[in-house]
Amino acid sequence: MRTSRIAALAGLAGIAASATLSFTALGMGTAANAAEGHGRPASYLLEGDPSAQDGSKFEGIGVDQEAGKFYVSEVTGGEIQRGSADRAQAEEWLAGDGTDGRYTARGITVDDEGRIYIAGGPNGTGNDRPDLWVYSPEGELLAALRVPDNNAFLNDVAIGPDGAAYFTNSNDPTIIRVAEGDDGWQATEWADGSSLITTVEGFNLGGIVLSQDRSAFVVAQGTTGQLWRFSVATGEVSEIDTEGANLRNADGLIAQGRDLAVIRNFDKQLVHLELNPSATSAQLVSSRATDPDRVFTTGKLLDGRLLLVDSHFDEQTAQGPYEIVTARMPR
């Protein structure tokens, strides 16, 4: 196993009077970093799948703040790994390779009850397999659902103010709502942005987060680099004015207050935008290069630290170590 590479993730700038969020370069495996992490690991190892012909590649991450745990999805097989904030080694939590009809997995999120929602990417495209899954914290399958669109590529997921899960679709400009009702779990098309959003070749709707005032979802369209606002009340879509910020290959979004971090995966950039409270416009704060040897896809905040998924998407045959990289929050 090769030694861990040094993450060169540079900062989202400016905290203090403006109350903005920033990240500074994080050195791994140093005494200083261990101290600042209060003894927690600077990175987390994921288990590779030895049976995967092209190695293991990862994409999504969800966090359970109360339990101090995180969940990571494997594209190559659909396995789900679970780790704890205080342990350096994550372990396989859910098997893949057809378990519950899951052959690949993408975005993940966790609701206030600890239930885990998993987006299936192209798992159900052109076949009768599930498009998404819901599990209890104990690993019990609660739902394995198809969505109305047989061409759906469910990419990412966020919990709305109503407690339902909202999944983005990278093949069509639609958002799918998933919730448990009187008749059990159901997946319905909640919003259709096709009147304004042009579907392009490649990845369309991807990363999704709530605005500061919880009135809207902020959604990234990866290939075009646009940000879209979906009203929570009506599902109406409008483009967020980013003043020309370069967000090409926008993938994961991380929001804290009015601060939005945009991970530009293959461009290996981390962009910091400041949104207005209702997310109708955004100002560029900074754009910084990430580690040139890694392709980060998305991230989540857990206990004040940003956990970033090193996908290995740039490797034809992925080789370990497979890691979640952390970035420290400023003081």
Side-chain angles (χ1 to χ4, degrees):
M1 180 177 288
R2 68 177 187 264
T3 57
S4 296
R5 298 163 290 185
I6 296 177
L9 178 63
L12 290 172
I15 197 163
S18 62
T20 56
L21 172 69
S22 69
F23 301 98
T24 56
L26 176 63
M28 288 181 163
T30 65
N33 184 60
E36 291 192 8
H38 302 286
R40 296 170 297 183
S43 63
Y44 298 93
L45 285 173
L46 304 173
E47 290 184 354
D49 181 358
S51 66
Q53 183 176 357
D54 296 326
S56 295
K57 299 182 180 182
F58 301 89
E59 183 164 2
I61 185 168
V63 299
D64 185 332
Q65 296 285 353
E66 184 173 344
K69 297 184 182 298
F70 61 89
Y71 299 84
V72 182
S73 62
E74 186 170 340
V75 172
T76 46
E79 294 83 0
I80 306 298
Q81 300 198 27
R82 183 171 68 179
S84 297
D86 57 355
R87 293 187 58 207
Q89 178 70 58
E91 299 175 345
E92 183 178 292
W93 181 62
L94 298 176
D97 299 322
T99 301
D100 298 329
R102 188 178 59 259
Y103 290 86
T104 187
R106 309 295 165 131
I108 306 181
T109 200
V110 182
D111 68 13
D112 289 342
E113 297 183 30
R115 296 177 296 198
I116 297 90
Y117 298 77
I118 303 169
N123 191 75
T125 302
N127 57 57
D128 59 357
R129 298 172 185 166
D131 294 299
L132 65 96
W133 302 263
V134 186
Y135 288 90
S136 74
E138 294 74 35
E140 176 190 359
L141 177 65
L142 303 177
L145 303 176
R146 297 280 299 170
V147 300
D149 183 356
N150 195 47
N151 187 43
F153 184 117
L154 297 192
N155 188 312
D156 206 355
V157 53
I159 304 300
D162 60 350
Y166 293 79
F167 291 77
T168 56
N169 184 355
S170 286
N171 283 348
D172 291 311
T174 56
I175 294 180
I176 304 297
R177 181 181 184 271
V178 173
E180 185 179 20
D182 294 338
D183 298 323
W185 289 89
Q186 294 183 336
T188 57
E189 183 179 289
W190 172 73
D192 182 352
S194 59
S195 62
L196 189 60
I197 301 173
T198 300
T199 301
V200 299
E201 184 177 354
F203 290 94
N204 290 278
L205 301 189
I208 179 171
V209 292
L210 271 174
S211 63
Q212 182 187 28
D213 66 2
R214 300 172 66 82
S215 69
F217 290 105
V218 177
V219 179
Q221 186 174 8
T223 300
T224 67
Q226 293 169 281
L227 294 182
W228 299 98
R229 181 188 189 276
F230 285 82
S231 167
V232 165
T234 66
E236 181 180 358
V237 63
S238 57
E239 185 171 3
I240 298 173
D241 180 10
T242 61
E243 299 181 349
N246 184 358
L247 303 178
R248 182 187 64 181
N249 286 328
D251 199 341
L253 303 179
I254 307 101
Q256 186 176 71
R258 292 175 58 180
D259 296 284
L260 180 71
V262 181
I263 298 173
R264 297 176 56 203
N265 49 33
F266 285 101
D267 288 88
K268 301 181 180 179
Q269 294 281 319
L270 183 64
V271 179
H272 175 197
L273 300 172
E274 185 176 330
L275 294 161
N276 66 351
S278 59
T280 58
S281 64
Q283 290 185 326
L284 175 66
V285 177
S286 66
S287 182
R288 298 286 187 269
T290 57
D291 188 336
D293 294 327
R294 302 180 190 262
V295 175
F296 294 120
T297 48
T298 192
K300 292 283 174 64
L301 286 165
L302 178 61
D303 294 337
R305 297 190 303 163
L306 180 60
L307 275 57
L308 297 165
V309 180
D310 182 8
S311 66
H312 292 262
F313 282 176
D314 55 340
E315 302 174 20
Q316 184 172 355
T317 300
Q319 298 181 10
Y322 305 110
E323 294 176 301
I324 299 298
V325 177
T326 67
R328 63 176 175 259
M329 296 292 290
R331 297 173 179 172

